[in-house]
């Protein structure tokens, strides 16, 4: 049977009669190489259901018009003009699937997203997107079927040596585990990281809600307006008709959205990790200079001294308090005591990310000149000696040595 002729009936209802029985459904895909067809919304007339079959006989099929995927794409999905967005659609095993899995297996980190109808253990998974540093793959699960996981996707997703970056992995994990017996491991969730980063910025306070992927990309990566609006418009269209993910061939606008969802996940993870590690790296820098920049040190018992919490680390409590005070002034508080974050389009990203704690608000300790008996010769005379005063409480701490300590 001529596959080109069959493609004329894409997205139409047709009856297919085979040796094993008759089926009525909407034609979604025709594979030219294997001469296989894929039907959606199948009605079993005289056989057991099957997703993919060789069309062998009668061409006198019953046809009737239905809502076409192409019409939906033209109506709701404008195409994004972006040469940097390149992706490979994997809808066959014998040509593309193997090389794609082989390339992914060599990665240390990948971005992962899925598309479908009501993604959960009872939903329908239609597409899985995987992004590496230099390639985006769109695995058409609707056409490949569950065997795609047995042939390599399950191995990749359960590999503990490959970091999977996902935005909100809850329903993805539920769907993959209950439908395909895939147990996701080594996952970095950017939605969780966004909440933790905000909590660090707000001195331990929490936001009233989590961020969508679009909001996170705008907030942390300053995603260009054209791409952000494209994602938001397509999200509204998909919400109106989630079954659009079952249309084959997929509209180009849908494939572009799927590619964009994973295109920036690795970069988003890198930026969030840097923000989450700011306090840690700053305190390590302070540790490096703690003794080195002092004119002299009275160690006493070195063993006892090394176990005492340094004043530089006690500053963290003061910084947290100042951040909480700053957050309470910058954000509204809901009835549950959580901070309400405005949409990233309406807030000044540079001001939020560059907010600096006023170091003058941190109490200083008195500078004391050490006695000559316990003084070591200092090599740098211009560095003052700072020691805690006798009446210093635990809330007091020496001044910050670097302004960067208070920048987040």
């Amino acid at each position: 049977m001529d596959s080109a002729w069959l493609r004329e009936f894409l997205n139409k209802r047709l009856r297919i009669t085979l040796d094993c029985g008759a089926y009525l459904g909407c034609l979604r895909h025709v594979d030219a190489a294997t001469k296989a067809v894929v039907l959606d919304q199948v009605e079993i007339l005289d056989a057991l259901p099957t997703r993919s079959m060789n069309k062998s006989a009668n061409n006198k099929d019953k046809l009737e018009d239905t809502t076409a995927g192409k019409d939906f794409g033209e109506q709701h999905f404008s195409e994004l003009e972006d040469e940097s967005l390149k992706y490979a659609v994997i809808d066959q095993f014998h040509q593309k699937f193997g090389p794609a899995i082989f390339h992914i297996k060599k990665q240390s980190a990948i971005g992962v997203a899925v598309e479908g109808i009501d993604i959960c253990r009872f939903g329908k998974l239609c597409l899985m997107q995987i992004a590496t540093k230099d390639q985006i793959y769109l695995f058409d699960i609707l056409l490949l079927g569950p065997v795609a996981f047995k042939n390599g996707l399950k191995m990749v997703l359960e590999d503990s040596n490959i970091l999977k970056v996902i935005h909100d992995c809850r329903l993805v994990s539920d769907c993959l585990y209950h439908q395909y017996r895939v147990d996701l491991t080594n996952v970095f969730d950017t939605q969780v990281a966004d909440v933790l980063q905000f909590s660090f910025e707000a001195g331990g306070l929490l936001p009233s809600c989590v961020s969508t992927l679009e909001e996170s990309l705008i907030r942390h990566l300053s995603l260009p307006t054209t791409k952000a609006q494209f994602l938001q418009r397509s999200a509204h269209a998909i919400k109106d008709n989630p079954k659009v993910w079952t249309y084959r061939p997929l509209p180009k606008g849908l494939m572009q959205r799927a590619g964009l969802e994973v295109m920036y996940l690795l970069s988003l993870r890198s930026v969030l990790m840097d923000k989450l590690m700011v306090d840690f790296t700053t305190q390590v820098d302070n540790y490096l200079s703690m003794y080195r920049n002092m004119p002299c040190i009275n160690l006493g018992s070195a063993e006892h001294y090394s176990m005492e919490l340094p004043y530089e680390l006690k500053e963290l409590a003061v910084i947290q308090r100042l951040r909480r005070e700053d957050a309470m002034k910058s954000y509204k508080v809901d009835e549950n005591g959580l901070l309400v974050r405005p949409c990233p389009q309406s807030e000044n990203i540079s001001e939020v990310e560059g907010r600096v704690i006023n170091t003058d608000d941190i109490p200083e300790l008195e500078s004391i000149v050490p006695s000559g008996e316990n003084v070591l010769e200092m090599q740098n005379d211009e560095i003052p000696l700072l020691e805690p005063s006798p009446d210093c409480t635990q809330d007091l701490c020496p001044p910050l040595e670097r302004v960067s300590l208070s920048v987040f």
Side-chain angles (χ1 to χ4, degrees):
M1 179 57 59
D2 187 2
S3 59
W5 179 81
L6 275 176
R7 288 196 183 95
E8 296 179 2
F9 300 102
L10 283 174
N11 300 312
K12 294 182 180 294
R13 300 279 298 179
L14 97 152
R15 174 191 175 109
I16 296 182
T17 303
L18 305 176
D19 293 338
C20 58
Y23 305 87
L24 180 65
C26 188
L27 183 63
R28 295 304 189 191
H29 178 74
V30 179
D31 192 314
T34 62
K35 295 184 178 180
V37 297
V38 175
L39 299 181
D40 189 21
Q41 303 173 11
V42 176
E43 296 181 20
I44 307 168
L45 302 180
D46 187 24
L48 295 176
T50 181
R51 177 178 296 251
S52 180
M53 63 196 79
N54 289 326
K55 187 176 185 308
S56 61
N58 297 331
N59 301 326
K60 299 179 181 179
D61 304 316
K62 181 180 179 180
L63 302 177
E64 61 181 83
D65 291 335
T66 60
T67 303
K70 293 183 179 179
D71 296 338
F72 186 87
E74 293 173 358
Q75 183 178 358
H76 295 276
F77 291 95
S78 58
E79 296 179 4
L80 182 66
E81 297 181 1
D82 184 3
E83 296 181 356
S84 64
L85 178 58
K86 298 180 181 180
Y87 50 83
V89 179
I90 311 299
D91 55 6
Q92 300 179 35
F93 285 105
H94 65 286
Q95 292 180 344
K96 308 174 183 178
F97 190 88
I101 294 296
F102 181 77
H103 173 70
I104 295 171
K105 276 290 293 180
K106 295 189 294 184
Q107 308 301 312
S108 59
I110 58 176
V112 179
V114 299
E115 303 291 355
I117 303 174
D118 190 21
I119 294 296
C120 65
R121 68 183 68 183
F122 306 113
K124 186 174 186 179
L125 179 62
C126 299
L127 199 70
M128 172 170 283
Q129 308 98 280
I130 295 182
T132 66
K133 293 179 180 179
D134 51 9
Q135 184 64 58
I136 297 175
Y137 297 104
L138 307 182
F139 289 89
D140 196 331
I141 305 301
L142 187 66
L143 300 182
L144 297 173
V147 71
F149 293 94
K150 297 179 181 179
N151 286 0
L153 285 178
K154 175 181 173 70
M155 175 180 59
V156 168
L157 297 172
E158 293 184 344
D159 192 336
S160 59
N161 295 319
I162 302 177
L163 178 67
K164 275 71 70 174
V165 183
I166 306 176
H167 189 83
D168 190 0
C169 64
R170 294 171 292 177
L171 292 176
V172 178
S173 176
D174 180 59
C175 174
L176 293 177
Y177 181 79
H178 289 281
Q179 292 194 32
Y180 303 100
R181 291 294 181 262
V182 174
D183 189 6
L184 278 171
T185 57
N186 194 13
V187 173
F188 183 97
D189 195 306
T190 53
Q191 191 174 79
V192 175
D194 171 73
V195 172
L196 289 178
Q197 187 274 329
F198 178 84
S199 180
F200 288 168
E201 175 189 290
L205 300 177
L206 294 172
S208 59
C209 62
V210 294
S211 297
T212 64
L213 177 60
E214 292 86 348
E215 291 171 342
S216 295
L217 292 176
I218 296 171
R219 183 175 289 119
H220 300 291
L221 294 182
S222 300
L223 187 70
T225 304
T226 54
K227 294 183 178 180
Q229 292 176 347
F230 174 79
L231 287 173
Q232 291 168 352
R233 286 197 303 267
S234 59
H236 290 307
I238 293 169
K239 186 176 181 180
D240 293 337
N241 185 5
K243 291 184 178 180
V244 69
W245 290 112
T246 64
Y247 295 145
R248 294 297 181 274
L250 276 172
K252 185 177 180 180
L254 272 181
M255 291 190 289
Q256 288 180 328
R257 172 184 169 80
L260 273 179
E261 285 192 342
V262 292
M263 182 178 182
Y264 296 105
L265 281 179
L266 295 179
S267 298
L268 180 60
R269 178 247 176 189
S270 179
V271 170
L272 285 169
M273 280 297 298
D274 289 342
K275 292 182 177 182
L276 290 171
M277 294 294 287
V278 164
D279 285 347
F280 171 76
T281 54
T282 303
Q283 291 303 324
V284 171
D285 289 340
N286 285 339
Y287 252 50
L288 291 171
S289 61
M290 187 180 298
Y291 294 159
R292 182 187 63 201
N293 292 350
M294 284 187 176
C296 59
I297 305 173
N298 183 5
L299 290 176
S301 173
E303 181 178 350
H304 171 74
Y305 195 84
S306 62
M307 298 302 295
E308 182 181 354
L309 186 66
Y311 281 92
E312 285 79 1
L313 292 183
K314 292 181 180 179
E315 289 174 348
L316 287 173
V318 181
I319 294 174
Q320 289 288 83
R321 175 173 57 81
L322 294 176
R323 288 176 176 174
R324 284 193 295 272
E325 294 174 357
D326 186 50
M328 294 297 290
K329 297 176 183 178
S330 302
Y331 300 97
K332 296 180 179 179
V333 181
D334 67 5
E335 62 276 7
N336 298 317
L338 302 175
L339 303 184
V340 180
R341 284 195 288 185
C343 294
Q345 296 93 330
S346 61
E347 66 182 10
N348 191 325
I349 302 297
S350 60
E351 289 184 4
V352 173
E353 292 185 349
R355 199 161 51 233
V356 179
I357 299 296
N358 186 0
T359 56
D360 296 334
D361 294 338
I362 300 180
E364 297 188 8
L365 299 180
E366 298 179 2
S367 179
I368 302 177
V369 179
S371 60
E373 298 178 357
N374 298 320
V375 173
L376 301 175
E377 289 295 331
M378 57 184 294
Q379 297 179 355
N380 193 349
D381 295 334
E382 68 272 11
I383 302 178
L385 174 65
L386 296 177
E387 290 187 358
S389 59
D391 58 347
C392 176
T393 63
Q394 291 185 352
D395 290 335
L396 298 181
C397 57
L400 299 177
E401 294 182 359
R402 300 182 181 180
V403 175
S404 62
L405 177 63
S406 301
V407 179
F408 48 84

